Amino acid sequence: MPATTEAKARKTGTRRRNKADVQPQAEPQSTAPAETEVPEAKARKTGTRRRNKADVEPQAEPAGTEVTETAPKAEAAETDMIEPAAEAEAKPEPQAAEPVAEPEAAAEPEAEAETAGPEPGTLVEVKAERPAEVSFRVDRADFAQAVAWVAKSLPVRPSVPVLTGIRIDVIRDRMELCAYDYESSAKAALPVDGDGEVSLLLPGKILSEITNALPHRMVDIDVKGTKVVMTSGDAVFTLMSMPVEDYPTLPKAPQAVGTVDAAEFAKAVAQVAVAASKDDTLAMLGGVHVTADGGKLTLATTDRYRLTVRELAWTPPTPDFTAEIMIPARTLSPTAKAFTGDGMVELAFPGEGDEAGLAGLAAGDRHTTTRLLDPQFIDYQNLLPTEFCNEVDVSVAALTAAVKRVALVAERETPIRLAFDSGWVRIEAGTGDEAHGVEKLPVEWSGDRFEVAFNHRYLLDALDVVGSPKARLRLTSATTAELLVPVNAGGEIDPAYVHLLMPIRLS
């Protein structure tokens, strides 16, 4: 008991001395300069610190040990002065009611701020506990077609992860979907039943697979923050939205300058795109050269071993309109094919004031843009032969089937030989020492024996896109270019399409 009384006395004395140090204004002050008071204040504070430490942690000192009054360095005294002050503020006197009331008063403005939302410019703009909730309904068939349309522009090897996504923007009763790979873009729009607004970026490949597999019912889409739930009948799929703010801005398409029949355009592109090279080392070989001259469009491609040329009519903005562009075949071919049943296709060539090197195609609510290649192209008119030693009409279906059967024994680059003689054409591949295949077909041939060899893949490509039941082979020699042209029902050739094949020289 006496020890306890003595400790209380020491603590009481310490507290009184602390108050005297913290609030020196309560004591009478002399008129001496402040410099003479600093040493005395430091001495009092140093003594107070040591006594406080001894009271708070008495167990750390052995019994009977006396603390020596050694003057600390000035820097240590400054540090020690801050720590007791913080402790004194953290532990207020129990009889003071103000500190108890202050936290309650501070909690009220915080609740008001929570209700009113964050201030503009704060780091937290959207709270996770309060996600945006939007619900809308869309027709499954329209949704699947729109997703399939834009998915064709998804890059195979994206430069950034967000390019693998399809962006979806819903504004009240309209949905817009788009995909972009910095070379080409695709956009589609369709009506929805809803009145909300939301922007999403969903994984493109899996979204395309899901929409294609959904039951043939209406699709309900519920958006809760970054979670997107698609429900169709008993099928429910949940996807997480990617960061839509990181998605690049799509380029603006140039103004449309003319229209062309969608089915005719798709057929023309298919006939020429087959001869475009898949190798990107030379841009000219991988593009479709498009020339507009008045009311005529001319498409041409070449990979150095074959050449295709196709002409078709279109509606230009003016009768004397001319233009020359080079569109990548890998972009134009699937786009034109998708436009087949859309009636008319709008063509947009770059003009004055438009973004340089950009062309566009549109039909209905579907749009696409593509970067253009260098329009430089070969002077192919000088490569097309005008004189022939013989011509022969063949059935496209029969010749295609025979070439496919005989080519079973041919390696990838092994030529297939065609020998014309006395009303027959002999199709042969391989040699007698190895695998060998032969088949004969009847043809109208009245000239001398003629033999020519082709790469069988190139010959099959030409027969596949000729676009008529019969085709005419216009032959020159075994070492110069041969032509394959379509023949109409009246037995006349169609000059709008020419497929030139370079033969393989036989040893």
Side-chain angles (χ1 to χ4, degrees), residues 4 52 113 118 175 194 220 223 272 274-275 355 401 408 433:
T4 304
N52 285 342
M175 174 193 291
D220 293 306
V223 183
V272 299
V274 69
E355 185 173 349
L408 293 174
D433 297 336

Side-chain angles (χ1 to χ4, degrees), residues 3 30 52 96 114 123 134 169 175 201 245 301 317 374 390 401 404 424 476:
S30 64
N52 285 342
E114 229 174 272
L123 294 178
V134 177
D169 294 292
M175 174 193 291
L201 184 62
E245 61 274 8
T301 61
D374 187 345
N390 212 326
K404 285 183 178 180
W424 292 89
T476 54

Side-chain angles (χ1 to χ4, degrees), residues 110-433:
E110 187 177 350
E112 291 177 2
E114 229 174 272
T115 306
E119 292 287 337
T122 56
L123 294 178
V124 181
E125 295 183 356
V126 179
K127 294 186 177 181
E129 63 272 17
R130 292 185 178 182
E133 296 189 7
V134 177
S135 299
F136 50 92
R137 173 173 284 195
V138 61
D139 182 77
R140 179 260 174 196
D142 294 342
F143 190 37
Q145 290 177 2
V147 171
W149 164 256
V150 299
K152 69 180 183 60
S153 291
L154 293 173
V156 178
R157 290 179 290 274
S159 56
V160 290
V162 293
L163 296 183
T164 62
I166 291 178
R167 174 164 180 159
I168 300 176
D169 294 292
V170 178
I171 304 176
R172 292 180 293 278
D173 59 349
R174 180 180 175 86
M175 174 193 291
E176 290 186 354
L177 302 91
C178 65
Y180 185 42
D181 65 353
Y182 291 113
E183 293 295 329
S184 62
S185 70
K187 182 186 294 186
L190 66 155
V192 298
D193 184 9
D195 57 359
E197 296 185 8
V198 68
S199 294
L200 307 169
L201 184 62
L202 300 181
K205 182 178 179 182
I206 190 171
L207 179 63
S208 179
E209 294 173 349
I210 289 174
T211 55
N212 190 48
L214 286 174
H216 291 273
R217 300 183 181 180
M218 297 296 291
V219 181
D220 293 306
I221 302 177
D222 298 316
V223 183
K224 299 180 180 180
T226 58
K227 183 184 293 186
V228 181
V229 181
M230 292 182 291
T231 306
S232 180
D234 294 330
V236 180
F237 292 92
T238 302
L239 295 176
M240 300 302 294
S241 177
M242 303 164 68
V244 68
E245 61 274 8
D246 296 340
Y247 200 74
T249 303
L250 267 65
K252 184 179 179 181
Q255 187 73 23
V257 295
T259 59
V260 61
D261 182 78
E264 190 69 13
F265 183 64
K267 180 180 177 181
V269 171
Q271 288 178 318
V272 299
V274 69
S277 175
K278 306 299 187 294
D279 189 0
D280 293 335
T281 54
L282 187 57
M284 179 189 72
L285 302 181
V288 177
H289 185 256
V290 182
T291 305
D293 185 7
K296 182 178 69 174
L297 281 179
T298 304
L299 314 181
T301 61
T302 183
D303 62 358
R304 291 180 295 191
Y305 304 105
R306 46 190 171 167
L307 169 70
T308 59
V309 181
R310 177 66 155 86
E311 297 178 352
L312 70 160
W314 79 311
T315 304
T318 58
D320 58 347
F321 178 83
T322 59
E324 181 184 10
I325 59 175
M326 180 83 78
I327 305 177
R330 64 174 180 268
T331 301
L332 183 61
S333 183
T335 301
K337 184 178 180 180
F339 282 148
T340 302
D342 287 324
M344 302 298 291
V345 176
E346 294 181 348
L347 303 182
F349 295 164
E352 191 175 338
D354 294 324
E355 185 173 349
L358 193 68
L361 296 91
D365 288 328
R366 293 183 293 174
H367 306 261
T368 187
T369 63
T370 180
R371 294 286 177 185
L372 297 177
L373 305 174
D374 187 345
Q376 182 180 1
F377 199 66
I378 60 174
D379 185 9
Y380 57 84
Q381 295 293 344
N382 294 331
L383 300 177
L384 300 177
T386 56
E387 296 182 358
F388 310 97
C389 66
N390 212 326
E391 298 180 334
V392 57
D393 291 350
V394 295
S395 169
V396 173
L399 183 59
T400 299
V403 171
K404 285 183 178 180
R405 283 190 290 267
V406 173
L408 293 174
V409 299
E411 299 293 337
R412 181 178 177 83
E413 301 300 332
T414 301
I416 191 167
R417 298 181 294 277
L418 304 180
F420 298 90
D421 190 14
S422 303
W424 292 89
V425 56
R426 177 186 174 93
I427 307 162
E428 184 178 4
T431 62
D433 297 336

